[in-house]
Amino acid sequence: MTDPAHTRADDAHPYLRAATAGIRHHARQAARTRIPADRAHLDVLHGHLTSLHLLLDRLAGTARPRHSAAGRHLASAHLRLWQAATSIHDAFHTLPAAEHSRSGTDCRPDRLPEGPPVLTICQRQLASGHAIRRKTTPADHGPRPARTA
């Protein structure tokens, strides 16, 4: 087993390097061929951003105890990635799905002609929104007192 302290930069994190290379390739192709943004394109890009969001969440959590300043910077990047994913989600719903439909900005499967399978972007957005709110919104996480009528 290799020691992380002695791993060469070329060998570290091969999946992240491959993902970055894929994005660079796609950006070059999009610039060359003028690929228009469509809903499928934004869905894949949103998936990438939410994966980065999850990774930064975990990295910030592990960095904070030992390096609080670095943890704060990672947490800030985590929040900005969520904001970027939210903007892409909104753009997804702004683009027309088909000539005969206008979906608006709601995440409502009953209003979209293509139905729930396309709404993985909405499921990812709701899950990442829940995670960011849980981390950034102060709340009492203890048991709630029973209501009296």
Side-chain angles (χ1 to χ4, degrees), residues 74-149:
L74 289 174
S76 184
H78 172 251
L79 177 63
R80 286 184 177 88
L81 267 177
W82 177 71
Q83 292 169 335
T86 298
S87 295
I88 288 178
H89 174 253
D90 293 344
F92 174 89
H93 285 295
T94 302
L95 287 175
E99 298 166 6
H100 62 279
S101 69
R102 294 277 320 224
S103 61
T105 58
D106 293 352
C107 287
R108 303 268 324 254
D110 56 329
R111 291 188 183 177
L112 295 175
E114 62 272 10
V118 168
L119 294 180
T120 56
I121 188 171
C122 298
Q123 293 166 353
R124 281 193 308 265
Q125 185 63 25
L126 290 172
S128 64
H130 176 72
I132 197 84
R133 284 181 188 93
R134 190 178 65 230
K135 296 258 182 193
T136 60
T137 305
D140 179 19
H141 294 289
R144 295 181 182 249
R147 285 187 169 192
T148 56

Side-chain angles (χ1 to χ4, degrees), residues 29-107:
Q29 287 297 102
R32 218 175 297 141
T33 60
R34 303 276 189 222
I35 298 171
D38 62 355
R39 293 181 114 201
H41 192 185
L42 293 182
D43 185 29
V44 171
L45 187 56
H46 185 269
H48 185 75
L49 283 178
T50 54
S51 294
L52 283 173
H53 179 259
L54 178 63
L55 177 62
L56 274 178
D57 183 34
R58 290 183 180 159
L59 290 175
T62 58
R64 252 195 201 123
R66 297 177 66 199
H67 308 285
S68 61
R72 283 192 302 274
H73 286 297
L74 289 174
S76 184
H78 172 251
L79 177 63
R80 286 184 177 88
L81 267 177
W82 177 71
Q83 292 169 335
T86 298
S87 295
I88 288 178
H89 174 253
D90 293 344
F92 174 89
H93 285 295
T94 302
L95 287 175
E99 298 166 6
H100 62 279
S101 69
R102 294 277 320 224
S103 61
T105 58
D106 293 352
C107 287

Side-chain angles (χ1 to χ4, degrees), residues 5-45:
H6 296 93
T7 304
R8 291 183 356 188
D10 294 348
D11 297 334
H13 314 293
Y15 295 115
L16 285 175
R17 287 187 298 109
T20 302
I23 294 225
R24 285 182 185 151
H25 173 75
H26 186 74
R28 283 192 301 270
Q29 287 297 102
R32 218 175 297 141
T33 60
R34 303 276 189 222
I35 298 171
D38 62 355
R39 293 181 114 201
H41 192 185
L42 293 182
D43 185 29
V44 171
L45 187 56

